[in-house]
Amino acid sequence: MSGDAPADGQRSLFILSPGDRDGLCQAVQAIGWRAIGARRPDDAPQRFLRSEAQVVLVDLRGDSEADMLLEPLVPATEAGGGALVVLIDGADEAHVPALLAAGATHFLTMPFTQDRLRGVLASAHRLVERLGGGARQSQRAQRIRRGDALYWQLGRDGMLRLSESLARHLGLDAPAIAPVALLRRLPRAERQGVLTALKAMARAGRPAALAHGVPDRPGDRLVHHLRIEDGQLAADVEWLSERHERDGEQRDYLTGLRSRQAALDWLDRRQGLPTTLLLLSISQFERMNAAYGQVVGDALLGRIARRIERMVDDVAPGAMVARIAGTEFLVGMTGEAAASERATFLARQLIGAIGRPFSAGDHLIRLTARCGIAQARVEDDATLLLRRAGTALADARQGGGEGIRILSAEKQSRQVDPDRLETDLRLALDRGEISIVFQPQYPVASDRISGVEALARWNHPHYGPLGAGILFSTAERSDYMLPLSAHILGEALRQAAAWPVALADLRLSINVTAADIAQPRFMTDLLEMVDRSGFPRARLTVEITESGLIQDVDAAAALLRALRSEGLAVAIDDFGTGYSSLAYLKTLPLDYLKIDSGLAQDIAGSARDRIIVRGVIHMAKSLGLKVIAEGVETEQQLDLLAREGCDYYQGFLRSAGVPTADLLALVLQ
């Protein structure tokens, strides 16, 4: 089995049975169905919605409280156009009309034969197809549900083959691994129990389930639903979170997330606390519904919900996630996790996750998203805060760029007016609005800061803090690039030259633009600026973007040789964003190659992504260059980059850009 989803041919069944889960799973798998079993009714609706099943079997034998088992699953099944089969004792057949009235669609009496079970489940599946507009649409929906599924199979060669999604969530860089590699990802105290259960399953051949914790996700457990497939041991895997199990809030029965009312209740309980909302909207979903039908659209919303949940669990554990209307999803964060940079980072990750294609079998469905971010004010109640997030989302829909807008607690909408920015930039230097922050760089194998990159921030009086991207794009439009760049370089060198002794070993990286290096006196002016500041040349790295170099490679090579001869180190910045051949690097005298943040983050993506990143790193190392990865945001990315030979990294995982006082505190830590 490869990293792709299995064929649609094997149908899935969710089983709720307090007393005979494993026995029913075995009976179902014997007739060719895949089974996900549960014993407890309290979290059964959420587990059903997180599975890919559309048919549910509820075991009501000998249960005097049938309502407690049946009632929670009925709205979840109906919302997704599913079928619900009840299993009852033969003596209880008189109760069938009442069970059907309560929401069951089919019934099965004991004792049953394989043929009887097969017939009832086939009838239930046919109902699902009919509700979904036919077999073809049902297959598309099933393929979507299975698209991000977690599963593995033991191959005949003794290797475990994991779905791409499972490998990604476990931080493994290959879809085929030795079983011992998976065991090493488990807590030591649980390894022997898992190994014993696997061996017992392999000997007996009966379906079983086992669960274990995950070292870097306290409170979460992985459940493996073991089965035999093509004569080999296999398993469907699901996350179980104590946070989700304790959550008794109202649910949106299509996705399993909190409902709009539950989200408002959550906000009401946190009024007065520092809270940030992310309101995420899927663009042009109506066209997708028109093309593929509602059943495919409903399945897609379920998959989107799973991607959002997993990303939030990784980036902001404990945050509230809800579906509040149609294709709008809400994420709520409080406390330190509510910082605007963390919220913006999470928004980027969510937009990226939704942007990954969804497989509908014969088609790939591609979606885009926009996100509005609102920070709570003291006077905001739940409704007002949600309305502010809606305002930010409306701005994000109208604006271009990455599709994110912030409505801070102090400011109005952060959607910017380009014409106003061009006018304001000419006053910004005189007003002291352009500041410098330093982003720490770390060796991949150490927690000690080795250097920093100087970054510019525009503290705009109306829009608040604006990043370097908006700052430089505005400068380029207004033909103000050279004065701005000279100011930033001079201020960065001035501050660094005044660093205290504790920072005296740090390297400083400064960025120069294509406009800078095109000036005839660029190098002379730069060296004079460095020497006037008093900052040592030996600790300075000049970073030139790839796009600034590839205009004239020969001239760039001569410039870099001259800079190095004067004692400066040189680096290509944002490598991977241009379209040049990798071969041109061999002509440039370099010290460092900085991998663009997008490329560095791709290493945790697909196998194809990892091959590209690996190739860039290995090529740079073979040319004797040190490799720095920008934009590292997760431990998984760092681990994979370190394995491939990356030397240094910077990014939100460790620190955003900080002023000198905060940098000193980080170094002293």
Side-chain angles (χ1 to χ4, degrees), residues 157-176:
D157 57 359
M159 298 291 285
L160 281 179
R161 285 171 173 77
L162 286 68
S163 69
E164 187 173 302
S165 186
L166 180 59
R168 184 169 62 248
H169 284 291
L170 292 178
L172 301 169
D173 60 354

Side-chain angles (χ1 to χ4, degrees), residues 68-88:
M68 191 175 74
L69 295 178
L70 190 61
E71 185 177 354
L73 280 163
V74 169
T77 308
E78 291 179 344
L84 196 156
V85 181
V86 290
L87 176 62
I88 59 175

